[in-house]
Amino acid sequence: MAEYLKRGKPETERAEDDAKTRAVVESTLADIEARGDAAVRELAEKFDKYTPESFRLTQDDIDALIAELTPRELDDIKFAQEQVRNFAQAQRDSMLDIEVEPLPGVILGHKNIPVQSVGCYVPGGKFPMVASAHMSVATASVAGVPRIVACTPPWQGKPNPAVIAAMHLGGAHEIYVLGGIQAVGAMAIGTETIDPVHMLVGPGNAFVAEAKRQLFGRVGIDLFAGPTETMVIADDTVDAEMCATDLLGQAEHGYNSPAVLVTNSRKLAEETLVEIDRLLKILPTADTASVSWRDYGEVILCADHDEMLAVANDIASEHVQVITDRDDWYLDNMTCYGALFLGPRTNVSNGDKVIGTNHTLPTKKAGRYTGGLWVGKFLKTHSYQKITTDEAATLIGEYGSRLCMLEGFVGHAEQCNVRVRRYGGVNVPYGEGAPYRDAAE
């Protein structure tokens, strides 16, 4: 049985935190729906101390902000965005429209149609999340979404040039400097100045994630992407420095970012705990990372790789870094996670910023039933059918008629019967199932 050398907050305390968040979000969304722009402006003033004449940036605003970046910074943004676009395009190319003729005269098919409007939330209150713009905006652009709205909070009292550049280069049609519940609420519900979208995507803090959850149904969402989670699966082929660095690298995201080490090496587990303490004394973001590690960090010692696999699948962490003597075995056998980072040469930050896979990933065990954001999330697969011959209309209609009557749906059966009568010349009594005919008839 797995042994916990360090545990985070108990589930009861985490549930209490979630309940408080739910209540705040519910009342805030109701206020936005009731008062529109006035509520949004008050929330922006309260939380961001930012209330410009218009939250939407003009093209001149965007150009001026991009001009603040150095050529090197702009080239780095373009390089990362190119990687994300290339992988998204490869994914899009794998999604084909189809049309088949399973029976003579019966045509079935499906089309992949872009969602018609998407609201992309790009976090930026604590850290300006430039990469999140690539992951949502650029990927929606590859999918062919005709209206892409992007929202990000101000950073240090004004729009962050790098985030705005990434949104613009990614293909956003409307950019608003607006954060938190007020941003996702305005995009989903709509206000006097912001038309509502059909779908919300992007990561965020606990309040943003909860707002998306409560708005789901009214609009589509990509997934529940709340506070960052990370897991390191490691054996004695790796050292404590790398494990501790990879854990704290994600714990700095926020005060409630779970970071978990799963290992079969007691030596590595104990040395990693010591190394984390050492790094927290020199890490500039230790104020955040130390609280996250204290409250949500865990070290789990397992008997063997089979138990490590079982523990990892049960936790279903957002990011799973695998550094073992059998990385591909985990690739073949893990079933519940957001994304895998295999081997010592890669790391979660690569996926966060530049390598090309999407970093908007399922949290809070959502990896049990969904993967992360990808180009397919912006596409709806719609089926269609048509019948091109009288013979096919009669054959399908006869079967359909009898099957509808089997379920007691007389009106349904008559939809089939009227076609059997017209196209097959069969006089089916009203409200009865079509007679069975031998295939030779």
Side-chain angles (χ1 to χ4, degrees):
M1 183 175 177
E3 176 186 352
Y4 281 73
L5 274 64
K6 182 191 181 305
R7 281 187 180 271
K9 269 187 178 183
E11 287 299 324
T12 52
E13 289 187 34
R14 299 188 192 195
E16 289 172 6
D17 292 342
D18 290 344
K20 292 174 185 175
T21 300
R22 277 195 300 274
V24 170
V25 170
E26 186 174 8
S27 63
T28 303
L29 291 177
D31 190 29
I32 292 170
E33 181 149 29
R35 299 193 300 121
D37 282 334
V40 168
R41 185 164 288 278
E42 286 179 16
L43 290 162
E45 169 63 29
K46 177 180 178 180
F47 292 108
D48 294 324
K49 303 294 186 290
Y50 183 78
T51 53
E53 183 177 338
S54 173
F55 291 104
R56 183 174 177 177
L57 296 180
T58 66
Q59 187 60 53
D60 287 344
D61 295 332
I62 293 167
D63 291 341
L65 287 162
I66 293 175
E68 294 182 28
L69 299 173
T70 67
R72 177 72 271 168
E73 288 169 337
L74 201 53
D75 285 347
D76 286 348
I77 290 170
K78 290 178 178 177
F79 176 84
Q81 200 161 100
E82 182 181 11
Q83 311 319 304
V84 174
R85 278 188 179 278
N86 288 345
F87 189 60
Q89 187 63 58
Q91 292 177 314
R92 179 65 185 91
D93 293 343
S94 75
M95 301 179 66
L96 304 177
D97 293 353
I98 64 168
E99 186 171 280
V100 297
E101 189 172 5
L103 294 170
V106 176
I107 308 298
L108 307 179
H110 77 223
K111 294 179 64 179
N112 294 297
I113 300 172
V115 175
Q116 293 299 287
S117 58
V118 170
C120 300
Y121 185 71
V122 178
K126 185 177 290 292
F127 300 102
M129 298 287 286
V130 178
S132 288
H134 316 325
M135 307 300 170
S136 57
V137 177
T139 306
S141 179
V142 171
V145 176
R147 178 181 175 234
I148 303 171
V149 180
C151 281
T152 191
W155 187 70
Q156 297 182 349
K158 62 179 184 178
N160 181 269
V163 173
I164 301 305
M167 287 174 159
H168 177 67
L169 295 171
H173 302 105
E174 301 168 31
I175 298 176
Y176 297 85
V177 183
L178 197 58
I181 306 170
Q182 59 270 27
V184 294
M187 288 191 288
I189 296 167
T191 71
E192 299 91 326
T193 59
I194 303 175
D195 290 334
V197 298
H198 295 173
M199 183 180 184
L200 289 172
V201 302
N205 62 20
F207 292 95
V208 168
E210 176 60 20
K212 286 170 63 182
R213 189 191 71 80
Q214 291 188 21
L215 290 162
F216 177 57
R218 182 171 194 147
V219 295
I221 65 170
D222 48 357
L223 62 151
F224 299 126
T228 291
E229 303 167 352
T230 199
M231 172 184 289
V232 174
I233 298 175
D235 59 18
D236 57 11
T237 62
V238 67
D239 58 72
E241 180 189 24
M242 186 169 284
C243 291
T245 299
D246 286 342
L247 291 166
L248 292 180
Q250 296 300 305
E252 74 177 0
H253 259 286
Y255 299 114
N256 54 352
S257 298
V260 180
L261 172 64
V262 178
T263 183
N264 57 358
S265 169
R266 182 176 294 275
K267 179 175 181 289
L268 177 64
E270 292 174 347
E271 289 179 353
T272 298
L273 285 168
V274 173
E275 181 66 7
I276 285 175
D277 288 342
R278 185 186 74 83
L279 290 176
L280 284 173
K281 294 174 183 175
I282 59 175
L283 182 66
T285 53
D287 284 352
T288 301
S290 61
V291 175
S292 186
W293 177 248
R294 181 195 69 201
D295 291 345
Y296 291 88
E298 296 188 334
V299 175
I300 306 173
L301 180 62
C302 298
D304 52 32
H305 284 280
D306 286 332
E307 187 173 46
M308 291 161 68
L309 176 68
V311 167
N313 276 328
D314 180 62
I315 293 173
S317 183
E318 177 189 15
H319 305 102
V320 180
Q321 174 99 29
V322 182
I323 314 175
T324 67
D325 63 4
R326 60 196 73 188
D327 300 339
D328 286 344
W329 180 82
Y330 282 92
L331 175 62
D332 292 340
N333 290 283
M334 280 204 69
T335 57
C336 301
Y337 57 91
L340 289 179
F341 304 81
L342 300 166
R345 292 178 179 83
T346 193
N347 65 86
V348 174
S349 290
N350 284 349
D352 279 349
K353 309 303 177 189
V354 67
I355 207 167
T357 53
N358 206 291
H359 80 192
T360 304
L361 301 167
T363 63
K364 293 196 171 184
K365 291 184 178 287
R368 295 175 298 173
Y369 58 83
T370 185
L373 182 60
W374 69 296
V375 72
K377 291 277 189 180
F378 297 102
L379 295 161
K380 307 170 295 165
T381 302
H382 294 278
S383 62
Y384 63 89
Q385 57 164 279
K386 60 183 174 180
I387 293 178
T388 60
T389 67
D390 292 349
E391 293 79 9
T394 303
L395 176 66
I396 295 296
E398 289 172 333
Y399 276 99
S401 170
R402 294 192 296 270
L403 289 167
C404 290
M405 291 302 296
L406 185 64
E407 296 180 355
F409 283 113
V410 180
H412 283 60
E414 277 304 307
Q415 289 182 267
C416 299
N417 288 343
V418 72
R419 286 157 177 85
V420 173
R421 297 181 192 116
R422 292 191 182 190
Y423 298 109
V426 180
N427 187 21
V428 183
Y430 188 87
E432 295 184 13
Y436 176 79
R437 293 187 301 137
D438 188 84
E441 293 182 35

